Amino acid sequence: QVTLVESGGGLVQAGASLRLSCAVSGLTFNFYAMGWFRQAPGKEREFVSGISRSGASTEYTDSVKGRFTIARDNDKNTVYLQMNSLKPEDTAVYYCAADWRTRGVGVFTADFNYWGQGTQVTVSS
């Protein structure tokens, strides 16, 4: 059984930082690119960041470039999202997802095979 479990969300003030983690089990972690998505109330789920199988390639949506950093530890089967300088518009449920691919980074929800349950991030102004 494949499980992805996110943690690290919470309520913070604008300008603060959070580090999200996603622990993965039930699959060969280094065969999967990983991604973070978010969904705010009333909005569609959107791509935030992705990382290739080896970690050599990363992608970010424009609104988080320079503030968020994605990383993975293939020994721990875990992917991270370091979020700095948080803004109220970053408020959303954040999901991690796994994408079986041989190279590159997926950016569309349809690219991803497995999803976590999400963790809430709320940024107050």
Side-chain angles (χ1 to χ4, degrees):
Q1 181 181 359
V2 177
T3 61
L4 290 77
V5 180
E6 301 97 336
S7 61
L11 170 63
V12 297
Q13 290 188 329
S17 298
L18 283 173
R19 187 195 195 203
L20 304 184
S21 299
C22 174
V24 180
S25 62
L27 53 76
T28 305
F29 186 67
N30 62 1
F31 283 8
Y32 287 77
M34 297 297 298
W36 287 96
F37 289 74
R38 65 187 179 187
Q39 188 166 18
K43 295 187 177 181
E44 292 188 355
R45 192 170 298 189
E46 66 169 350
F47 173 80
V48 175
S49 182
I51 188 167
S52 62
R53 291 166 48 164
S54 68
S57 298
T58 58
E59 293 284 346
Y60 298 92
T61 193
D62 286 346
S63 62
V64 308
K65 285 181 180 177
R67 299 189 298 123
F68 290 12
T69 303
I70 191 170
R72 65 188 294 159
D73 186 334
N74 285 350
D75 291 331
K76 295 182 178 180
N77 288 9
T78 302
V79 61
Y80 305 96
L81 186 67
Q82 177 67 43
M83 306 187 295
N84 298 329
S85 302
L86 282 162
K87 303 176 181 181
E89 50 263 44
D90 295 318
T91 295
V93 177
Y94 283 71
Y95 299 89
C96 73
D99 167 22
W100 191 94
R101 62 173 55 228
T102 57
R103 65 173 63 91
V105 179
V107 299
F108 301 105
T109 55
D111 292 330
F112 289 80
N113 309 99
Y114 300 102
W115 293 82
Q117 293 299 305
T119 185
Q120 177 70 47
V121 172
T122 304
V123 184
S124 63
S125 58

